[in-house]
Amino acid sequence: MADMTRESAFTFSKERVRKIYLEGLKIRRSDSETPFFKSHRLEWDHTLDLFRIYSSDQRKSRAQQWSRSYYHSMRDSKQHITQLDETVSTLVQGFFDDNLDDSVITDTCDLLARLPATPRLPHILSTGIDHQALHPDYFRQGQSIRAVLDHDTWHSLLVTNWIDTNTIKIALTMVQLEQQSGFRGFQTGSKVNYGHGFNSGSRFKVYVDTLAEILEASCELSPSDEELPDQRFWILVRSFFWTCWHRSPMLNHHYLLRSQLIAGIISLIECLISVHNHGRLDIANLFLTNQHLLRATKPSPGGIKNAYTQRLLDGYISVEESTCLLAYRHASRPGDSTVIMSLLNDTTPFYTATAFWKSKVGGMIRSGMLFSSQPRLQSPGLGWAPAQPEVAAVSTNITALHTEQYLLFDGYDTEPAFIKADGLDALFATFDVPTAPWLYRLTRDLGESARRMLPWIGGERSASPKGLLCRIQELFRLHKYRYGLFLLSFRSNGPSPGDPNYHLYYGQSKGTIFAAVGTNDENEARWHWLGTIEWDSTAPWPQPRSEKERIFLV
């Protein structure tokens, strides 16, 4: 088992942590007093004037482009670790409080010192590393003049020992949030406000997913890139990103598990708190995942406000989480998945999806949960509701709405939608369905290039504006409706600096996933769910109608 990390010139130092802290001091704003970090994303980018969304293929290309830049950092043996770390550090921005307290630096160093010195060597990296000669500068001090890379010396590489700047930024954010919440030397039963610095895992997930995509891209490039053929450098790049990825979830789990400790633990409380406060993070986190040792979080002094909160305290999960968990768990008999979903959510089993969703009248779901290719119910007032939690069979019909599955996600950070007896009431960002005048203006302004910018619809690119209109009409049977709209879910907490107000689908796609709705109501009071549509990232978006509009789905 690897040792714990020790402060040194080859890992981290108090001076380096302080420098990163000072460089990332948050500019205090009236609407945000909480430290947080923000990760650069592969799926979209923006400037002051332009917001661009990248398809799955484009994201892969960007990850490969970044990987090549990291490869070049490896050429200088003496400066390779500082150059690589400086380049990768742009993936994360840290926004910290501007009241320097030395305990922030000390606590951060203490937390980093509890990480394992190096990660385990995964199989994907172990293949082909034996007998690779590297300059001694690529290793910690004390290596021989002609160091040879193998399964043992891999743990002596600088790239596997160095605590990268992004990990330090995340640790600093955690420590500041904990100190703001009065969490130092915490006692059971105390009240903790975690703030939104980690955004309940959303920001952290973006960062970890970005690391994983870059690691995957570097693995794909290393045997095939003729311009960058030195496999030793690719091994170093992959090892660095594997180390970053390996450490980050440990910090996140540590942060989240502290909330469970506050609730109080039956007879092992002092032991568990000691392990969690001082033990190795890889051991402490696993120890505390034994849920039978933990009691549910105690309600706030104000008491339990509603039945939903009581169900969560009793160990049940939300509707959104239960549907996501069952996406790939096909039951042995048709309909059983609905029964399982209902028992994950409450004590009463329901045997049909219609009965399940009717039981939720008066409750709410996150509006982002609707954006998937799940089939919908045909019952009045429930045309928006997923007919089943599991993934449906992919249709091979060329007129189908999708050629790929757009999976459910839990809708985190999207506006709540309120379930009523006759429909679903929610806020969305709305866009006009493309019309002939809009498309003809596009053709006039862009000329021949317009054809290349018409979006993919259902896996097919339209050859002309007229063909695109026909395709949309065909897919959603819009001839049956007086009006049509495209929707995007709206962020519930408002955007972070530089982020859009609407929430974008996180899954695999070639562009933006819009929902399509239609109505014959002259007052546009009641809308019918028609499906989802994939709008290619190279095409101009449909004309915005309203940044925030209330839509009632029936």
Side-chain angles (χ1 to χ4, degrees), residues 182-370:
F183 209 31
R184 294 186 67 197
F186 60 88
Q187 300 293 325
T188 58
S190 59
K191 183 180 179 182
V192 173
N193 175 18
Y194 282 93
H196 62 274
F198 270 51
N199 224 348
S200 298
S202 177
R203 296 182 189 279
F204 184 81
K205 181 180 182 300
V206 170
Y207 173 61
V208 173
D209 286 349
T210 300
L211 290 179
E213 286 192 67
I214 294 172
L215 179 59
E216 181 181 5
S218 65
C219 290
E220 292 176 352
L221 280 175
S222 58
S224 60
D225 197 320
E226 296 180 356
E227 296 181 2
L228 306 174
D230 196 325
Q231 291 303 305
R232 298 172 304 169
F233 294 164
W234 281 120
I235 290 171
L236 294 173
V237 170
R238 297 201 302 269
S239 298
F240 182 82
F241 275 92
W242 168 252
T243 302
C244 296
W245 184 93
H246 187 266
R247 286 170 174 156
S248 299
M250 288 186 189
L251 290 174
N252 189 49
H253 293 158
H254 165 81
Y255 178 81
L256 297 176
L257 285 168
R258 289 174 81 95
S259 64
Q260 299 183 55
L261 281 173
I262 298 173
I265 303 173
I266 303 173
S267 61
L268 303 178
I269 180 170
E270 293 183 1
C271 173
L272 287 176
I273 288 179
S274 178
V275 170
H276 195 68
N277 277 340
H278 307 294
R280 289 172 47 127
L281 289 187
D282 51 345
I283 300 299
N285 290 340
L286 289 174
F287 189 30
L288 288 174
T289 55
N290 290 282
Q291 295 295 319
H292 62 283
L293 299 177
L294 306 177
R295 290 208 301 265
T297 305
K298 294 178 181 178
S300 63
I304 299 172
K305 300 297 184 182
N306 52 49
Y308 174 78
T309 304
Q310 182 62 62
R311 286 199 303 273
L312 295 182
L313 292 174
D314 289 340
Y316 295 96
I317 61 178
S318 66
V319 173
E320 296 92 337
E321 187 175 356
S322 63
T323 53
C324 291
L325 289 175
L326 293 172
Y328 285 114
R329 290 181 173 268
H330 291 262
S332 56
R333 295 184 303 178
D336 277 4
S337 58
T338 299
V339 179
I340 298 169
M341 177 176 66
S342 62
L343 290 174
L344 286 172
N345 181 248
D346 208 340
T347 57
T348 305
F350 291 96
Y351 297 92
T352 66
T354 299
F356 171 79
W357 287 110
K358 284 184 176 180
S359 74
K360 303 305 173 188
V361 170
M364 53 154 279
I365 59 171
R366 294 290 175 181
S367 57
M369 175 190 168
L370 300 177

Side-chain angles (χ1 to χ4, degrees), residues 28 35 54 87 137 148 199 207 282 297 402 405 408 436 446 494 518:
R28 190 176 294 276
Y54 297 99
T87 306
D137 288 341
V148 176
N199 224 348
Y207 173 61
D282 51 345
T297 305
H402 319 285
Q405 289 285 353
L408 282 166
L446 299 176

Side-chain angles (χ1 to χ4, degrees), residues 138-171:
Y138 289 105
F139 295 87
R140 292 182 311 194
Q141 190 175 20
Q143 295 297 307
S144 60
I145 296 300
R146 289 293 293 173
V148 176
L149 182 61
D150 57 30
H151 288 62
D152 293 325
T153 58
W154 184 83
H155 292 281
S156 297
L157 288 170
L158 279 178
V159 292
T160 60
N161 283 264
W162 185 260
I163 302 294
D164 65 287
T165 296
N166 292 333
T167 296
I168 294 175
K169 290 176 182 177
I170 293 171

Side-chain angles (χ1 to χ4, degrees), residues 15 32 52 59 233 270 305 314 395 413 434:
E15 290 71 26
S32 177
R52 182 177 178 84
R59 291 204 303 267
F233 294 164
E270 293 183 1
K305 300 297 184 182
D314 289 340
S395 174
D413 198 28

Side-chain angles (χ1 to χ4, degrees), residues 401-414:
L401 301 186
H402 319 285
T403 55
E404 298 181 16
Q405 289 285 353
Y406 306 127
L407 302 181
L408 282 166
F409 84 104
D410 62 7
Y412 174 77
D413 198 28
T414 59

